[in-house]
Amino acid sequence: MQLRYAMTGLVVVLSLAGCQRTAYDYSSNASAGPAPLTAQPVPSVQGGQLPPPTGGSQFPAAPTTTPPMPGAEPGAMAANALDITKESMVGSWRVNGSCDMFLTLTNLGSGSRGGTRGCVGELTAMGSWEVAGKQVLLKDRSGNQLGSVYKTADNRFQGQTSTGQSISLSR
C-alpha cells in the first residue's frame, strides 16, 4: 500500500519537473531597448520657380448638363423591357461599374432585403427591393422608393434613381 503512494508521489514529482515557467521575467533589464538606427545622408533640397504652364488649361471644360442616356426614359425602357423573376435577381450585381449591390430573398417589409457596398449617392441608403411587373424597385430601409431598373439584356439592367441618376446593373 505504501509503495502505491510512493509511486503516485514519484509520478507527480516527475510530471511537475517537466514544467517550467513561460511568463515574462520582469526582473530582467526592462529599460534596454533596441539599439538606435544610424542616420542616413539626405540629398539637399533645391528651390525655385516653376515655369508657367504651356497652352491653355490642361483639363477639359466641365459639362453643363448631363446628356440623356439612350432609352433612359422610363416609358421607353418599360416598352422594351424583358420579363424578370425575383429568383433571377438574387445575388451580387455590379452597379455602374463602380460598386456592388447584393439582393437576397429574405423578407423585409413588402420587399426583400438588399444593400450596396461602395456606392455613393442615394443607393447608399438601399435596404430592400421588389419586382413589380417588368421593373425592379429599389427602396430604402423605410420602404421609400429610391429608383427602378428594367431588364435590357441577359444579366443587364438599366434605370434611374428618383432624382434622375442613371443606374446600370450587370454581372
Side-chain angles (χ1 to χ4, degrees):
M1 183 81 154
Q2 290 208 1
L3 181 61
R4 184 174 171 192
Y5 292 124
M7 290 302 284
T8 303
L10 182 62
V11 168
V12 170
V13 168
L14 288 175
S15 64
L16 291 177
C19 295
Q20 65 179 357
R21 185 173 176 185
T22 59
Y24 178 74
D25 183 14
Y26 292 102
S27 64
S28 69
N29 187 2
S31 65
L37 297 173
T38 57
Q40 297 295 315
V42 177
S44 63
V45 177
Q46 298 176 355
Q49 281 289 61
L50 292 175
T54 58
S57 174
Q58 67 185 32
F59 299 105
T64 54
T65 60
T66 307
M69 255 179 33
E73 297 301 316
M77 275 194 256
N80 299 328
L82 302 172
D83 291 328
I84 53 174
T85 63
K86 197 169 188 177
E87 291 76 18
S88 67
M89 293 299 301
V90 174
S92 175
W93 292 88
R94 194 78 177 145
V95 181
N96 297 338
S98 63
C99 64
D100 297 309
M101 180 180 291
F102 304 97
L103 306 178
T104 70
L105 289 177
T106 306
N107 289 335
L108 181 68
S110 64
S112 296
R113 187 174 302 275
T116 60
R117 178 179 60 198
C119 292
V120 294
E122 291 176 278
L123 293 179
T124 58
M126 185 189 159
S128 68
W129 65 281
E130 67 180 74
V131 174
K134 291 187 175 188
Q135 67 179 334
V136 178
L137 304 177
L138 308 174
K139 299 181 176 187
D140 65 12
R141 291 168 188 89
S142 301
N144 302 318
Q145 186 173 335
L146 295 174
S148 63
V149 292
Y150 297 89
K151 186 173 184 176
T152 56
D154 272 350
N155 295 322
R156 185 104 176 125
F157 288 78
Q158 297 280 44
Q160 61 186 12
T161 64
S162 55
T163 60
Q165 176 186 2
S166 65
I167 305 171
S168 171
L169 302 180
S170 62
R171 295 197 216 226

